[in-house]
Amino acid sequence: MGDRKNKGLPLNLLQFFILYSIFHLLCISPESVTGQENDGVTIITVNDFQALQAFKRELIDLRGTLKSWNGTRNGACSGSWAGIRCMKGQVVAIQLPFKVLGGRLSDKIGQFKQLRKLSLHDNLIGGTIPSSIGSLPNLRGLYLFSNRFSGTIPASIGNSPQIQAIDLSNNQLNGLIPASLVNSPRIHRVNLSLNSFSGSIPRSFALSSSLIFLALQNNNLSGLIPSSWGTLNLRSLTLDHNSFYGSLPHSLSKLSHLEELSLSYNKINGSLPKEIAGLKNLSSLNLKKNHLTGDIPSSIGNLSRISLLDLSENNFTGEIPASLENLSNLTSFNVSYNSFSGQVPARLSKKFNSSSFVGNIQLCGFSPSTPCISAASPPAESPSLSPLSSDDDHEPKHHHRRLSTKDIILIIVGVLLLILFILCCVLLFCLIRKRTGTKARNGKSAGVEKGFAAAGGAAGADTGPNGGKLVLFDGPFVFTADDLLCATAEIMGKSPYGTVYKATLEDGNQVAVKRLREKLAKTPKEFEIEVAALGRIRHPNLLPLRAYYLGPKGEKLLVFDYMSKGSLSSFLHARGPETTIDWPTRMKIAIGVTRGVNYIHNQENLVHGNLTSGDVYLDEQNNPRISDYGIHRLMTDSANTNVIGTAGSAGYRAPELPKTKKTTTKTDIYSLGVIILELLTGKSPNEAVDGSDLPQWVASTVKEEWTNEVFDLELMRDVSTTGDEMLNTLKLALHLVDPLPEARPDVQQVLQQLEEINPKLIAETPEESAEKTHH
Ligand SMILES: *[C@@H]1O[C@H](CO)[C@@H](O)[C@H](O)[C@H]1NC(C)=O
Ligand SMILES: *[C@@H]1O[C@H](CO)[C@@H](O)[C@H](O)[C@H]1NC(C)=O
Ligand SMILES: *[C@@H]1O[C@H](CO)[C@@H](O)[C@H](O)[C@H]1NC(C)=O
Ligand SMILES: *[C@@H]1O[C@H](CO)[C@@H](O)[C@H](O)[C@H]1NC(C)=O
Ligand SMILES: *[C@@H]1O[C@H](CO)[C@@H](O)[C@H](O)[C@H]1NC(C)=O
Ligand SMILES: *[C@@H]1O[C@H](CO)[C@@H](O)[C@H](O)[C@H]1NC(C)=O
Ligand SMILES: *[C@@H]1O[C@H](CO)[C@@H](O)[C@H](O)[C@H]1NC(C)=O
Ligand SMILES: *[C@@H]1O[C@H](CO)[C@@H](O)[C@H](O)[C@H]1NC(C)=O
Ligand SMILES: *[C@@H]1O[C@H](CO)[C@@H](O)[C@H](O)[C@H]1NC(C)=O
Ligand SMILES: *[C@@H]1O[C@H](CO)[C@@H](O)[C@H](O)[C@H]1NC(C)=O
Ligand SMILES: *[C@@H]1O[C@H](CO)[C@@H](O)[C@H](O)[C@H]1NC(C)=O
């Protein structure tokens, strides 16, 4: 048996999969199982014959494989019974894989005193595994994988003194793993993967000196990884997709033959011990998706045979060790979604594309969109700031362009205002005439207010002047439909979904009213369900929806708080040349917008879909408030598809959108990145610079090491104190506008980074300053 074992064992993992099937055959030596061996004694013993009949009885043989098991004792060992091999009138092997057999495994199986191999894998056999298997004194290989066995493993199974391989993988087994499974001094392969075993790994498994393959992946196992490994022969240890916790024991490094170690998808914490370098033969190390922290020890470069290294989705920090560069056999490498920082070693970034590195906000140099900006550059250049500021061509040009933009905007706004004013006059005139003609004057507004109180209910009852319906959400103002419709209004702006007016109510309060384009909106019934949900959303960085009005002809008005400072877009781009916006203000706006997006994504599970600096409004303290979140929910799907295609928000649109036509949290992150670039550069994304859009222009300028050119000139005055913050914010923003959606961080990460860049702004709780005005 001994030399057969050596022959059957694969030499390395690559060969393993090929040899795996060969091993199955070699488990029983050819001379002992071939038909020719049934010399002399060809008549099966009564005992084995009865056991075979019992075995057949309990199986369901849909394909008729066992039809050949006919006739008398004479035939059973003649070689004509499918899957049966005998020696001296006793069954030594039952091999019926892939035969669509159902039913159960008879416990008469324990009667085959010479059975060496039981291979029934890839069938449909269910029920429990009979404990009588443990009384088979000569069993060497038990292959029951890929069936429907359920229940627990009988502890007796490991009792067969000769057993070498137990493969029960891919069944529905549960309960604890019996420690006695590895009792046999010859056991070298145990595969219990793809079941529902629970509990922890028995200590005996770590102490067995014969075990070579241990596969427990895809179960419900938990507990610590055993800390005292004595099994010096283990070559493959796969424990992935369980719930193991605790840290990686240093003693793992004693497994000097180990070639494959997979612990991915567990809850392992602590750090990667530097002793890992002792695993000289390791070719595959997979630690994906755990809770590991700390630095990667540079000794990892000693794993000269490594070909797969996956450390992704952990919490590793520090730099990626340069020692990895020289691992010539490394073909699969992933460190994405950690907290690595610094520069990716050049040869690694050449060999692997960005999908191996994404999700490390502070990591740079692995793709064109993540250039490493030398942190020293802005302060270093502050002495040489003089050439920049004395560069007189630059500044006037800048101002000139800004002024002309402003002029254009002013002219457009002026024209629009004039048109609107005329329209308003006509509308108002009509309304007043109608009202005075049809309605009794007294008690009118009181009556309507009662109607609002009952608003959720029957429409029409709580009528406005023309049978419209006003529903108020919680907020500081109480007004009636009449108040709203009679308010004086001036146009503030247009968006793809409709026009926004500033309305001054009779009592002097001001609100912003958005009139939705009727053709684009959903039916009133659907509209009301969606708008009620939007009306409940409250966050200091989101512009609250205070009311909606549904007119008798289907007109839809949304009422928001009025923000006197206007939009971020006009704040940045339509100001006079003498108005400066300092860095702390810009940072505060960036963080506020990010908080708003964070709330939309993570509390409301919404996508904004159309985020631009025109949708961000500022209150008196320059706290930003995002509007239009979730507004696409009020619109028909076709309207939304069209809006995605419009040019309105061109500069903010993620590059994949024209193709996918589907807004996601990642397209929002892109838009957020553009807004942050807008704050940094003072440039509007709507005006292309040198034929490229804002993110492209910034990325290429940074790459040419003209980082200072990127920042808004007026920010350069304080560069000695704020340079680092600006630089780090710029790096972050470039991650947000990565052309690859999956490379963009989540908003939570963005927020965390921004707060780290400027810790002062965490202390200041915007909740208080913003929301107290309403309560
Ligand atoms: C038994 O089965 C074999 C193969 O299916 C067949 O050739 C043979 O005729 C059968 N014998 C009897 C006695 O049914
Ligand atoms: C264990 O079983 C699984 C599923 O049947 C299989 O994919 C894997 O290759 C096996 N591993 C070993 C070491 O036998
Ligand atoms: C996994 O084990 C836990 C206890 O350790 C148990 O609560 C849970 O139901 C198990 N899940 C499955 C799918 O068996
Ligand atoms: C490592 O693998 C090689 C080749 O596969 C083998 O010759 C050597 O004995 C192994 N070393 C250890 C410690 O297992
Ligand atoms: C790892 O997690 C365990 C709980 O599962 C905890 O007791 C231990 O302190 C953690 N260790 C580290 C290094 O975080
Ligand atoms: C990573 O660490 C940070 C703090 O150090 C913690 O907030 C975060 O939850 C950790 N992430 C994971 C996946 O463990
Ligand atoms: C790594 O290998 C170098 C030389 O090859 C050796 O000096 C160093 O001690 C090794 N480190 C570890 C942790 O094995
Ligand atoms: C790299 O892999 C090849 C092929 O598997 C092997 O021959 C070679 O020895 C390996 N190199 C190292 C340094 O392990
Ligand atoms: C990698 O190998 C080259 C020579 O092949 C050597 O010059 C360089 O120092 C090595 N790098 C590391 C990090 O060991
Ligand atoms: C990156 O490389 C992996 C394989 O290493 C490949 O599957 C993937 O498509 C590549 N991604 C890009 C964006 O090139
Ligand atoms: C690296 O891991 C991440 C996260 O699981 C995955 O999205 C990415 O496709 C992986 N990249 C490669 C090259 O395997």
Side-chain angles (χ1 to χ4, degrees):
M1 233 44 230
D3 56 345
R4 190 182 316 132
K5 191 165 94 181
N6 286 341
K7 250 197 292 177
L9 284 179
L11 290 174
N12 67 37
L13 276 176
L14 281 174
Q15 294 160 344
F16 160 63
F17 291 102
I18 304 163
L19 288 177
Y20 182 57
S21 46
I22 298 172
F23 171 75
H24 276 200
L25 300 176
L26 289 179
C27 181
I28 303 299
S29 63
E31 63 273 21
S32 67
V33 296
T34 49
Q36 290 91 310
E37 275 303 301
N38 300 314
D39 58 345
V41 194
T42 52
I43 299 179
I44 194 169
T45 62
V46 174
N47 175 62
D48 280 20
F49 185 66
Q50 286 172 346
L52 277 180
Q53 285 179 320
F55 175 79
K56 181 182 174 180
R57 251 199 317 277
E58 299 216 11
L59 292 175
I60 297 170
D61 179 22
L62 290 173
R63 277 235 198 113
T65 310
L66 303 182
K67 274 203 188 120
S68 61
W69 294 19
N70 56 11
T72 61
R73 281 172 54 200
N74 290 339
C77 281
S78 70
S80 66
W81 284 31
I84 299 300
R85 295 280 180 270
C86 301
M87 217 166 80
K88 298 190 178 125
Q90 287 185 288
V91 176
V92 294
I94 301 175
Q95 286 172 279
L96 294 163
F98 297 107
K99 296 289 186 285
V100 202
L101 295 170
R104 305 165 59 86
L105 186 54
S106 163
D107 65 355
K108 294 284 190 307
I109 197 85
Q111 289 186 19
F112 296 106
K113 293 302 171 216
Q114 286 301 319
L115 189 67
R116 296 179 180 188
K117 179 175 186 180
L118 179 60
S119 173
L120 299 171
H121 65 86
D122 293 282
N123 280 294
L124 308 169
I125 305 170
T128 55
I129 295 176
S131 62
S132 60
I133 287 184
S135 57
L136 293 169
N138 282 297
L139 192 67
R140 282 144 171 86
L142 177 63
Y143 305 98
L144 302 180
F145 58 93
S146 300
N147 274 289
R148 293 180 181 170
F149 289 108
S150 56
T152 57
I153 304 185
S156 62
I157 281 193
N159 291 348
S160 301
Q162 305 281 334
I163 191 112
Q164 297 170 12
I166 298 177
D167 193 337
L168 308 176
S169 61
N170 197 15
N171 278 290
Q172 291 148 22
L173 297 162
N174 56 28
L176 302 178
I177 298 175
S180 57
L181 211 58
V182 293
N183 273 359
S184 155
R186 292 170 176 249
I187 186 83
H188 67 245
R189 181 196 302 272
V190 171
N191 194 341
L192 305 178
S193 61
L194 289 159
N195 279 289
S196 300
F197 291 112
S198 52
S200 53
I201 305 180
R203 265 172 57 87
S204 58
F205 278 59
L207 298 175
S208 157
S209 59
S210 56
L211 212 51
I212 289 174
F213 299 97
L214 178 57
L216 302 176
Q217 68 269 26
N218 295 88
N219 274 291
N220 191 17
L221 296 165
S222 58
L224 302 170
I225 308 290
S227 61
S228 51
W229 287 91
T231 65
L232 299 178
N233 285 309
L234 210 55
R235 287 196 201 158
S236 169
L237 179 60
T238 47
L239 307 175
D240 49 283
H241 295 87
N242 280 292
S243 300
F244 292 114
Y245 52 77
S247 55
L248 288 172
H250 291 198
S251 65
L252 271 179
S253 62
K254 283 205 280 179
L255 302 174
S256 56
H257 297 272
L258 204 61
E259 293 169 9
E260 178 181 26
L261 176 60
S262 178
L263 289 162
S264 56
Y265 296 90
N266 277 292
K267 295 173 179 155
I268 295 171
N269 64 3
S271 57
L272 183 62
K274 65 175 188 307
E275 288 82 2
I276 196 89
L279 302 176
K280 293 273 185 292
N281 264 9
L282 200 62
S283 74
S284 171
L285 176 60
N286 193 343
L287 300 173
K288 188 186 193 82
K289 194 113 176 129
N290 277 287
H291 303 320
L292 290 159
T293 52
D295 292 2
I296 307 296
S298 69
S299 65
I300 200 162
N302 281 15
L303 296 174
S304 56
R305 290 171 171 266
I306 198 109
S307 68
L308 180 151
L309 181 59
D310 194 338
L311 306 175
S312 61
E313 300 190 57
N314 278 287
N315 230 347
F316 284 117
T317 50
E319 303 205 350
I320 295 179
S323 58
L324 285 172
E325 274 191 329
N326 280 357
L327 296 173
S328 54
N329 274 8
L330 191 61
T331 50
S332 175
F333 179 67
N334 204 338
V335 292
S336 60
Y337 302 102
N338 277 287
S339 302
F340 286 114
S341 55
Q343 185 159 8
V344 172
R347 274 198 267 164
L348 282 181
S349 64
K350 243 183 244 151
K351 197 159 155 190
F352 302 102
N353 65 30
S354 63
S355 123
S356 296
F357 302 98
V358 293
N360 292 286
I361 288 185
Q362 293 172 25
L363 196 63
C364 66
F366 55 85
S367 74
S369 57
T370 55
C372 289
I373 308 167
S374 122
S377 82
E381 291 199 16
S382 46
S384 64
L385 199 64
S386 35
L388 256 182
S389 45
S390 70
D391 194 348
D392 282 345
D393 311 345
H394 264 314
E395 233 170 340
K397 239 198 252 161
H398 212 83
H399 281 282
H400 182 69
R401 192 167 55 203
R402 193 174 272 160
L403 273 176
S404 62
T405 323
K406 189 189 156 199
D407 285 349
I408 294 168
I409 293 175
L410 280 180
I411 291 166
I412 295 172
V413 169
V415 171
L416 286 175
L417 266 177
L418 200 72
I419 297 172
L420 185 84
F421 184 66
I422 295 167
L423 272 175
C424 278
C425 289
V426 174
L427 231 150
L428 233 114
F429 185 65
C430 293
L431 267 174
I432 290 171
R433 252 191 21 182
K434 244 187 192 166
R435 213 153 45 114
T436 45
T438 57
K439 283 246 168 185
R441 253 169 238 177
N442 54 350
K444 166 189 61 192
S445 59
V448 177
E449 269 179 55
K450 253 182 231 151
F452 303 144
D462 48 340
T463 49
N466 305 315
K469 169 180 173 184
L470 180 86
V471 175
L472 290 173
F473 301 113
D474 93 281
F477 310 125
V478 177
F479 52 87
T480 66
D482 298 63
D483 292 345
L484 182 63
L485 296 174
C486 296
T488 54
E490 56 186 272
I491 198 162
M492 274 165 53
K494 280 189 177 230
S495 80
Y497 292 118
T499 310
V500 189
Y501 307 90
K502 168 185 167 186
T504 309
L505 302 173
E506 235 166 3
D507 59 7
N509 279 326
Q510 291 176 323
V511 291
V513 178
K514 178 164 218 148
R515 186 187 182 114
L516 297 182
R517 293 203 194 163
E518 274 150 47
K519 280 190 210 132
L520 304 184
K522 285 184 173 162
T523 63
K525 214 167 158 192
E526 294 168 315
F527 170 83
E528 287 203 74
I529 293 170
E530 297 289 357
V531 80
L534 293 184
R536 274 196 295 272
I537 300 177
R538 292 289 180 267
H539 182 271
N541 294 113
L542 299 180
L543 191 66
L545 175 61
R546 297 299 185 188
Y548 70 88
Y549 172 77
L550 201 53
K553 295 203 186 74
E555 312 92 299
K556 298 179 185 73
L557 304 180
L558 303 178
V559 182
F560 299 93
D561 284 0
Y562 172 69
M563 296 281 118
S564 58
K565 279 239 171 128
S567 73
L568 174 60
S569 176
S570 59
F571 180 69
L572 269 178
H573 309 302
R575 63 195 152 120
E578 70 288 344
T579 337
T580 60
I581 305 171
D582 61 8
W583 173 245
T585 304
R586 297 182 197 225
M587 193 71 186
K588 171 173 164 173
I589 293 172
I591 290 192
V593 176
T594 308
R595 285 186 179 134
V597 174
N598 185 29
Y599 191 84
I600 297 174
H601 284 187
N602 294 316
Q603 297 298 314
E604 298 295 338
N605 280 321
L606 276 174
V607 168
H608 188 291
N610 204 26
L611 189 64
T612 71
S613 64
D615 293 322
V616 175
Y617 291 90
L618 299 176
D619 71 8
E620 286 306 318
Q621 291 83 39
N622 291 326
N623 289 305
R625 300 196 137 209
I626 302 172
S627 72
D628 274 8
Y629 48 88
I631 197 159
H632 59 274
R633 293 226 169 171
L634 307 178
M635 306 297 176
T636 62
D637 290 344
S638 61
N640 285 320
T641 314
N642 281 339
V643 166
I644 290 168
T646 59
S649 49
Y652 300 86
R653 225 164 40 194
E656 71 271 18
L657 257 182
K659 232 192 283 164
T660 61
K661 296 239 191 294
K662 188 166 172 4
T663 55
T664 62
T665 54
K666 293 294 184 188
T667 62
D668 277 359
I669 293 293
Y670 183 92
S671 309
L672 176 62
V674 176
I675 291 178
I676 297 176
L677 287 179
E678 204 173 343
L679 285 163
L680 282 164
T681 61
K683 292 193 194 313
S684 165
N686 292 319
E687 39 182 305
V689 193
D690 309 331
S692 48
D693 64 19
L694 186 57
Q696 288 166 343
W697 175 76
V698 172
S700 63
T701 312
V702 167
K703 209 165 142 203
E704 288 157 26
E705 296 181 15
W706 291 106
T707 305
N708 286 343
E709 295 279 289
V710 164
F711 297 118
D712 199 343
L713 263 185
E714 63 188 53
L715 290 177
M716 296 309 288
R717 285 178 212 159
D718 303 319
V719 76
S720 54
T721 52
T722 57
D724 282 349
E725 284 180 22
M726 283 158 52
L727 200 62
N728 288 330
T729 310
L730 178 62
K731 285 189 207 173
L732 176 63
L734 283 172
H735 272 288
L736 270 58
V737 297
D738 196 297
L740 283 178
E742 61 273 16
R744 295 172 207 146
D746 293 334
V747 65
Q748 265 166 325
Q749 293 174 293
V750 181
L751 186 55
Q752 195 189 342
Q753 289 288 310
L754 281 175
E755 286 174 342
E756 271 169 27
I757 292 170
N758 193 334
K760 276 169 284 177
L761 287 172
I762 306 176
E764 188 183 306
T765 51
E767 278 85 341
E768 284 167 21
S769 58
E771 199 71 329
K772 71 181 164 206
T773 52
H774 299 304
H775 295 294

